[in-house]
């Protein structure tokens, strides 16, 4: 893939340097556009053919699709590259949880609540689910529509899962105005589903398990009918056929980005929940396999997934992997350097030192809070590097710690001049003492022991 350069963009701009976009020149604006840090709509003089050409030039290889609307929507697609090291992935894989429409009312409500309440924090970010996938298990259009209506009050956008166009229309009459994702159009129901997608202006999934040529034909026909928002389901084949699933996902993304095939430039949907079908394993093994398939598909370009399991032990690895994959590899995760207080600190409270790498900081923070420690935490700016990496890179040394002490004014807050440094920084203890004039204590290598260390030593 050839990256769009600032010069490519500049050639299509008015080149008047009017500054109405907020930039000093058209070249500066072009640079922002090429890095996706601005929007072409800010150029009021860009009209007609050049606007269309530039819009096409800047469009991602994989079309962005909105599912839901207003305050409950998810954006999928928008991928530009095959490999994360080339450029950050932007729109996270959205995780939808399956709800069959044949549940008792109390079970239905309980499942919605569990989906909405699933949340945990990691490195300062709240990780949660994204959508509800309503499945027409009852095969009753009226029942399906009634359940769809209940989901109007839910927090999340909805996937409508049925191959029955009559049931789909019944549900769309209730929530079609909320842009649910229709699942799915196949070669057997294509005309009816296409008409519904056009009528209700909803995104629609094309399902053609294991047959990419058929999928291409269906997408081409949908586009010719005027449908713009399409999601691709190449099929989640399980068991020994899982390798074929991965091959199809990779092929779809390669066709979109490397071959620029217009019929594959759409988000991909996977259904790890299918591993539970015709599976005699116990629930634990099913959950493990579902999480494994989900994690694998996240790594292989899935933009949306449908799961059945809601146990936190199954979801934590999936959501944690997703967070890692969609973190910009060019920008280390970091927190602000400075002083952080834990407990009711006073002038005799101990001082702990760590780095501003987000994972390090939030791990230390969690351990100090869970251990009910009372202390000051000095956070050193290591440009988002962990302790050992920052020491090797020269960001963590005696002078840097001395500058941190001076900049934060910590000496005005305490009577003592003692500091606990990470166990991994033990070799720097003498250097830090020489540069700061403080007494340095080498703490544990693992912050899980930090609270007990403070209690024992102070």
């Amino acid at each position: 893939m050839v990256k769009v350069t600032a010069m490519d963009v500049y050639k299509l701009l008015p080149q008047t340097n009017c500054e109405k976009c907020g930039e000093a020149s058209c070249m500066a604006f072009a640079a922002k556009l090429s890095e996706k840090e601005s929007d072409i709509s800010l150029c009021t003089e860009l009209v007609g053919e050049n606007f269309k050409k530039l819009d096409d030039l800047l469009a991602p290889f994989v079309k962005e699709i909105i599912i839901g609307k207003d305050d409950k929507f998810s954006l999928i697609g928008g991928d530009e590259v095959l490999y994360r090291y080339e450029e950050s992935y932007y729109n996270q894989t959205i995780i939808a949880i399956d709800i069959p429409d044949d549940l008792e009312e109390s079970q239905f409500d309980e499942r919605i609540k569990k989906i909405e309440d699933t949340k945990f924090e990691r490195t300062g970010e709240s990780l949660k689910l994204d959508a509800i996938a309503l499945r027409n298990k009852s095969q009753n259009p009226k029942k399906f529509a009634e359940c769809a209506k209940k989901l109007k009050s839910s927090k999340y956008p909805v996937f409508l899962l049925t191959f029955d166009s009559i049931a789909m229309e019944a549900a769309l009459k209730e929530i079609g105005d909320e842009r649910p994702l229709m699942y799915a159009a196949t070669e057997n129901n294509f005309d009816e589903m296409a008409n519904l997608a056009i009528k209700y202006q909803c995104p629609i999934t094309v399902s053609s398990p294991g047959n990419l040529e058929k999928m291409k034909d269906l997408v081409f026909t949908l586009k010719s009918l005027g449908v713009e928002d399409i999601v691709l389901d190449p099929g989640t084949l399980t068991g020994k056929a899982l390798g074929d699933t991965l091959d199809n996902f990779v092929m779809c993304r390669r066709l979109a980005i490397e071959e620029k095939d217009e019929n594959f430039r759409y988000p991909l949907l996977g259904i790890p929940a299918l591993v539970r079908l015709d599976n005699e394993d116990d629930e634990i093994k099913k959950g493990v396999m579902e999480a494994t398939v989900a994690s694998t598909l996240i790594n292989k370009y899935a933009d949306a997934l449908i799961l059945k399991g809601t146990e936190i032990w199954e979801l934590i690895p999936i959501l944690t992997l997703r967070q890692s994959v969609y973190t910009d590899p060019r920008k280390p995760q970091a927190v602000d350097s400075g002083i952080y207080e834990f407990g009711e600190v006073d002038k005799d409270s101990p001082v702990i030192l760590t780095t501003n790498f987000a994972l390090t900081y939030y791990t230390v923070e969690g351990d100090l809070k869970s251990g009910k420690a009372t202390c000051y935490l000095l956070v050193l700016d290591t440009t988002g590097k962990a302790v050992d990496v920052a020491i090797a890179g020269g960001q963590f040394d005696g002078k840097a710690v001395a500058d941190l002490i001076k900049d934060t004014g910590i000496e005005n807050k305490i009577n003592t001049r003692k500091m606990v440094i990470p166990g991994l920084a033990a070799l720097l203890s003498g250097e830090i003492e020489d540069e700061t004039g403080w007494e340095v204590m080498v703490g544990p290598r693992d912050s899980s022991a930090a609270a007990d260390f403070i209690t024992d030593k102070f």
Side-chain angles (χ1 to χ4, degrees):
M1 186 200 75
V2 179
K3 183 177 175 60
V4 175
T5 66
M7 184 56 69
D8 294 330
V9 176
Y10 179 74
K11 290 176 181 177
L12 295 172
L13 290 175
Q15 302 176 21
T16 59
N17 298 327
C18 68
E19 301 185 20
K20 293 179 182 178
C21 62
E23 301 299 329
S25 66
C26 285
M27 179 55 79
F29 184 51
K32 287 286 186 72
L33 288 176
S34 68
E35 293 298 325
K36 299 188 182 304
E37 295 176 355
S38 192
D39 190 277
I40 61 173
S41 62
L42 295 177
C43 181
T44 57
E45 296 186 19
L46 185 63
V47 295
E49 187 64 22
N50 274 5
F51 182 93
K52 185 178 185 307
K53 286 182 179 178
L54 186 53
D55 192 34
D56 290 341
L57 180 68
L58 295 173
F61 284 99
V62 177
K63 181 179 173 66
E64 288 185 323
I65 304 291
I66 296 174
I67 301 172
K69 70 172 191 177
D70 297 335
D71 59 343
K72 59 175 188 177
F73 78 93
S74 291
L75 187 63
I76 61 174
D79 296 323
E80 296 276 9
V81 294
L82 282 173
Y83 305 109
R84 180 173 171 267
Y85 66 79
E86 296 177 286
E87 185 177 332
S88 175
Y89 295 159
Y90 292 100
N91 299 319
Q92 290 191 350
T93 305
I94 65 172
I95 310 296
I97 300 296
D98 165 86
I99 299 184
D101 66 351
D102 63 346
L103 293 176
E104 295 293 332
E105 184 173 356
S106 60
Q107 294 177 311
F108 190 87
D109 294 340
E110 182 181 342
R111 191 160 175 81
I112 293 174
K113 186 175 188 305
K114 187 164 188 177
I115 293 169
E116 293 180 340
D117 290 348
T118 296
K119 183 186 302 183
F120 66 94
E121 186 174 302
R122 181 175 182 268
T123 62
E125 182 180 351
S126 179
L127 306 186
K128 60 183 184 61
L129 301 168
D130 309 282
I132 294 173
L134 178 64
R135 177 163 50 97
N136 185 209
K137 186 178 179 182
S138 70
Q139 299 184 11
N140 183 326
K142 182 178 179 182
K143 180 69 173 174
F144 191 50
E146 289 173 352
C147 290
K149 184 176 182 179
K150 287 183 181 180
L151 294 177
K152 287 183 73 78
S153 60
S154 71
K155 295 179 182 178
Y156 294 140
V158 176
F159 295 5
L160 295 175
L161 312 183
T162 182
F163 295 122
D164 180 356
S165 61
I166 296 175
M168 181 65 77
E169 182 162 27
L172 288 172
K173 286 179 179 178
E174 298 293 344
I175 63 170
D177 61 334
E178 295 195 352
R179 274 186 69 83
L181 174 64
M182 297 170 57
Y183 181 96
T186 68
E187 60 180 329
N188 297 321
N189 65 9
F190 185 81
D191 291 336
E192 296 87 350
M193 289 294 191
N195 289 334
L196 291 174
I198 294 169
K199 178 179 179 180
Y200 289 93
Q201 292 297 294
C202 289
I204 185 169
T205 307
V206 172
S207 178
S208 180
N211 191 335
L212 299 188
E213 283 299 322
K214 175 61 68 175
M215 174 177 286
K216 180 174 181 176
D217 291 341
L218 294 175
V219 171
F220 178 82
T221 306
L222 267 181
K223 290 175 11 182
S224 67
L225 293 173
V227 177
E228 296 182 354
D229 294 337
I230 301 170
V231 176
L232 308 179
D233 172 21
T236 305
L237 311 175
T238 60
K240 294 182 179 179
L242 182 58
D244 295 329
T245 296
L246 302 183
D247 287 344
N248 287 333
F249 271 71
V250 171
M251 182 59 69
C252 285
R253 194 47 47 92
R254 285 189 178 280
L255 287 168
I257 293 177
E258 293 184 339
E259 303 299 327
K260 301 179 184 177
D261 189 320
E262 294 295 331
N263 298 306
F264 286 95
R265 293 178 65 175
Y266 297 98
L268 299 171
L269 170 71
I271 311 179
L274 293 176
V275 303
R276 295 175 177 269
L277 295 179
D278 301 320
N279 187 336
E280 296 180 358
D281 290 337
D282 60 37
E283 288 302 310
I284 299 297
K285 288 184 178 179
K286 289 179 183 178
V288 170
M289 181 53 67
E290 184 176 37
T292 301
V293 172
S295 299
T296 304
L297 290 179
I298 287 174
N299 279 322
K300 293 301 180 184
Y301 312 120
D303 297 288
L305 296 174
I306 299 174
L307 307 179
K308 184 177 178 62
T310 57
E311 295 300 325
I312 194 66
W313 59 262
E314 177 183 342
L315 295 174
I316 281 178
I318 298 171
L319 296 175
T320 299
L321 172 67
R322 181 180 70 173
Q323 180 192 32
S324 300
V325 169
Y326 284 88
T327 297
D328 192 337
R330 302 166 299 176
K331 299 176 182 178
Q333 286 184 297
V335 300
D336 293 334
S337 62
I339 305 173
Y340 294 80
E341 298 179 1
F342 294 85
E344 298 294 328
V345 293
D346 56 32
K347 286 185 172 292
D348 296 314
S349 297
V351 176
I352 314 296
L353 179 68
T354 191
T355 74
N356 74 331
F357 175 46
L359 186 56
T360 297
Y361 170 80
Y362 285 110
T363 300
V364 173
E365 178 196 53
D367 289 334
L368 293 176
K369 285 182 177 179
S370 63
K372 296 181 171 53
T374 297
C375 64
Y376 291 100
L377 180 63
L378 274 185
V379 177
L380 179 66
D381 183 1
T382 57
T383 65
K385 294 183 176 68
V387 174
D388 51 350
V389 179
I391 292 173
Q395 293 82 23
F396 191 152
D397 58 21
K399 184 178 184 307
V401 176
D403 290 342
L404 177 65
I405 289 172
K406 179 180 178 181
D407 293 342
T408 59
I410 182 66
E411 292 184 330
N412 298 324
K413 293 178 175 288
I414 57 174
N415 294 322
T416 61
R417 294 296 182 266
K418 291 183 179 181
M419 175 186 297
V420 179
I421 66 172
L424 290 174
L427 292 175
L428 294 178
S429 59
E431 179 183 335
I432 293 174
E433 285 187 337
D434 292 341
E435 291 285 348
T436 64
W438 284 42
E439 178 184 343
V440 172
M441 303 175 68
V442 177
R445 293 172 67 89
D446 190 326
S447 64
S448 61
D452 290 339
F453 181 89
I454 293 171
T455 300
D456 293 341
K457 302 298 184 181
F458 293 89

